[in-house]
Amino acid sequence: MLEHGGRLSAASRRFGAPAAGWVDLSTGINPHPWPVPVQLPVHWARLPDPDDGLLEAACMYYGAELLLPVAGSQAAIQGLPLLRPRSHVGIIAPAYAEHARAWRRAGHAVSRLEFAHIGRHLAKLDALVVVNPGNPTGLRISRAQLLDWHAQLASRGSWLIVDEAFMDPAPQESLMSSQIPSGLIVLRSVGKFFGLAGARVGFVAADARLLRRLGEYLGPWSLAGPSRYVSALALRDRDWQDGARARLRRASRRLADLLAAHGLAPDGGTELFQWVRLAQASLLHALLADRGIWTRCFSRPAGLRFGLPGDETQWCRLDQALAEGLAVLPAPGAGA
């Protein structure tokens, strides 16, 4: 099982390259990205300029006063565990696997926790990592609940880290604010909503001291000049953002309805993907891949995450592949 979405070359090696090409639904990235200009007035021979307006555009977009631009939220995920002494870290599971991997690699004790049981574990944690909305489940945790957890954690010097990679379609639910209190760390990215995953641009909101420490660890020029330029333009484009939110809501509802029509009513989702818990997830994943549909397969718990098709041809191919794949999918327990 591949560690991340995408990687169509690996998918082709495993399943063969489909004649009609892949319909890549594995990443949860907006299939209609912000339109990058063909010509970028970027000086390739110059070092990236930290005063190029990116930070101002990001602060305005997120409503934050202090932010640290990073090379995608992945850079922060890997860097933050190095800024704490050995700790007991809880992660609401299932979640993006890189969080647990990074904390374990840095020598911390990591516990997978269920949302319903956080209360009984909170007093023992030095840090709690929450992906909100959840990836892959789409679980949404209220701002009030998160702020209550933060207050309990911060009172003894512990951290609450909230990864909001899929939050842009619903900014009113974000913990971003003009003043981020000590002990709260919020991660954002332009990869999903803006469809600019290849730019590798993200932002960290936290108190000034923590941002300074993380910035010193990451070093200068963590973002390439073209990525900075494009991201600043996208963050300022309010008309595109409003239109994208409306389009994503419609597409997400359409995807949920399509899956339900095939007997796969989603168990959760966001504006950018739908999540189906399924004991035979790996089998259906392979059957769909044989038909050129690339989904994201998970094992704990077993399920498939479906991103949004990008055009009518892709919608039709998904519909047909689901019908064909489900028709030959063995019943649970068959042959056992």
Side-chain angles (χ1 to χ4, degrees):
M1 190 174 297
L2 297 179
E3 290 292 327
H4 304 287
R7 300 194 62 186
L8 296 182
S9 296
S12 296
R13 289 194 296 271
R14 180 179 175 187
F15 295 99
W22 287 103
V23 176
D24 186 6
L25 310 181
S26 69
T27 63
I29 294 171
N30 187 344
H32 301 287
W34 183 81
V36 177
V38 176
Q39 297 293 331
L40 297 180
V42 176
H43 296 283
W44 291 91
R46 295 181 184 174
L47 291 170
D49 185 354
D51 298 318
D52 57 6
L54 172 62
L55 190 54
E56 291 78 4
C59 287
M60 182 174 295
Y61 174 77
Y62 293 115
E65 184 174 316
L66 292 176
L67 291 171
L68 176 69
V70 293
S73 52
Q74 182 67 35
I77 290 170
Q78 294 177 196
L80 287 169
L82 303 177
L83 304 184
R84 281 198 71 94
R86 297 292 174 85
S87 300
H88 182 195
V89 181
I91 298 178
I92 295 183
Y96 180 52
E98 290 295 331
H99 286 287
R101 183 176 291 115
W103 284 96
R104 288 195 179 102
R105 186 187 300 123
H108 302 277
V110 177
S111 298
R112 288 169 53 94
L113 304 175
E114 295 183 18
F115 167 70
H117 300 154
I118 292 298
R120 70 179 69 162
H121 295 283
L122 205 62
K124 298 177 287 186
L125 297 178
D126 301 300
L128 173 64
V129 178
V130 180
V131 181
N132 192 42
N135 175 19
T137 63
L139 173 69
R140 294 176 186 262
I141 302 175
S142 71
R143 295 181 77 257
Q145 179 66 83
L146 291 168
L147 291 173
D148 177 65
W149 289 345
H150 165 258
Q152 296 180 60
L153 290 162
S155 67
R156 57 178 191 277
S158 299
W159 289 354
L160 174 64
I161 302 168
V162 185
D163 182 346
E164 295 186 344
F166 290 97
M167 186 60 80
D168 294 76
Q172 71 280 1
E173 299 178 25
S174 173
L175 284 185
M176 281 290 196
S177 66
S178 58
Q179 297 291 329
I180 299 292
S182 178
L184 176 61
I185 303 165
V186 183
L187 311 182
R188 295 295 289 266
S189 168
V190 304
K192 307 299 186 184
F193 172 68
F194 289 97
L196 297 175
R200 308 307 307 141
V201 175
F203 299 91
V204 183
D207 65 80
R209 179 175 177 272
L210 181 57
L211 291 183
R212 183 168 57 253
R213 292 178 63 205
L214 182 59
E216 290 172 352
Y217 165 74
L218 296 175
W221 313 304
S222 61
L223 296 179
S227 294
R228 297 182 64 97
Y229 180 82
V230 167
S231 297
L233 291 178
L235 290 166
R236 292 192 184 101
D237 193 343
R238 295 303 177 93
D239 290 340
W240 181 90
Q241 295 159 20
D242 292 341
R245 290 188 178 100
R247 287 191 298 272
L248 291 172
R249 284 193 294 269
R250 292 192 298 268
S252 183
R253 286 194 297 268
R254 180 179 179 180
L255 178 58
D257 291 343
L258 175 61
L259 292 169
H262 287 281
L264 298 172
D267 295 276
T270 72
E271 292 83 350
L272 286 158
F273 64 81
Q274 293 294 333
W275 161 250
V276 178
R277 292 188 64 148
L278 185 69
Q280 300 159 291
S282 61
L283 290 175
L284 183 56
H285 173 71
L287 288 168
L288 293 175
D290 286 337
R291 292 158 175 81
I293 307 296
W294 192 229
T295 58
R296 183 76 170 91
C297 186
F298 295 83
S299 59
R300 296 180 63 190
L304 292 180
R305 191 186 68 192
F306 293 81
L308 304 176
D311 56 36
E312 287 303 316
T313 297
Q314 293 190 0
W315 283 102
C316 291
R317 287 184 59 189
L318 174 59
D319 189 11
Q320 180 178 353
L322 285 168
E324 294 176 355
L326 290 166
V328 298
L329 184 71

